[in-house]
Amino acid sequence: MNTSTMLRASAGMPNFAVMQTFLTARWQHLIMANYPVDPLLLQPFLPAGTRLDLHNGAAWISLVGFLFRRTRLFGVPIPWLGNFEEVNLRFYVLRDEPGETRRGVVFLNETVPFRLVAQVANALYNEHYTALPMRHNVTAAPATLDVRYEWKVKHRWNRLGVCAAPVAAPQLPGSFESFIFEHYYGYTRLSSQLSEEYKVNHPSWLIHQVQSYEVDCDFERMYGAAFGHLSAQAPHSVFLAAGSPVSVDWKRRRFAAG
């Protein structure tokens, strides 16, 4: 099934012009390994009209792994493709609007196990999805919650995993966890002068205390030479969020620099 056929079949087909929500799903077991980076590293990827969201004077990127569950497009389930893993690399930006400053993320890459999912996302929204073999394991015990994501690049399995406390607790206001998780807009760089903005809707996530972690990622092969040094760098922090139902608005706003 090609992308255009998928789009027609998945929607049945409602009128896109009156739709409010593009995607609904449940995101579960979100691991985020966080790295401080030189702000200059991210300037080539910064969408026009946004600026870097700094914390303690540093720009931050996160290697993220999580599960998509019960995914629907325009309210319609996706046959055979509704449950899958995603691993992405993202950084954090601000967008100034009259009366408010919006906190958002920019995805450098999003990796999923299904080529069709990647094709649909790229065709609809000019995103940077790729498809690779992926797998995961979640093991819950009375004293621990073990979560692991793996993805295969050039015959080598990369890994992102944690061992965490089984009970999750609210984020502390003003904490670094809150800085990482509390971004509710997405921004896409379309050109040097044009960007898109979209809204991601979900409640504030509960956080599991991470007891130990494993990050084994070939950053250069996955994300390019500019990020290769991260393979030898321990993350500043690793978080695990319980997750929740989410929705992504259909409407996207295009805007220019300035």
Side-chain angles (χ1 to χ4, degrees), residues 10 50 78 91 102 123 133 185 238:
S10 67
T50 69
I78 309 174
F91 67 95
R102 295 175 176 175
Y185 288 87
V238 179

Side-chain angles (χ1 to χ4, degrees), residues 29 137-147 162-167 208 211:
H29 306 309
N137 183 70
V138 177
T139 303
T144 58
L145 174 64
D146 292 298
V147 181
V162 298
C163 177
V167 178
H208 297 267
Q211 300 166 352

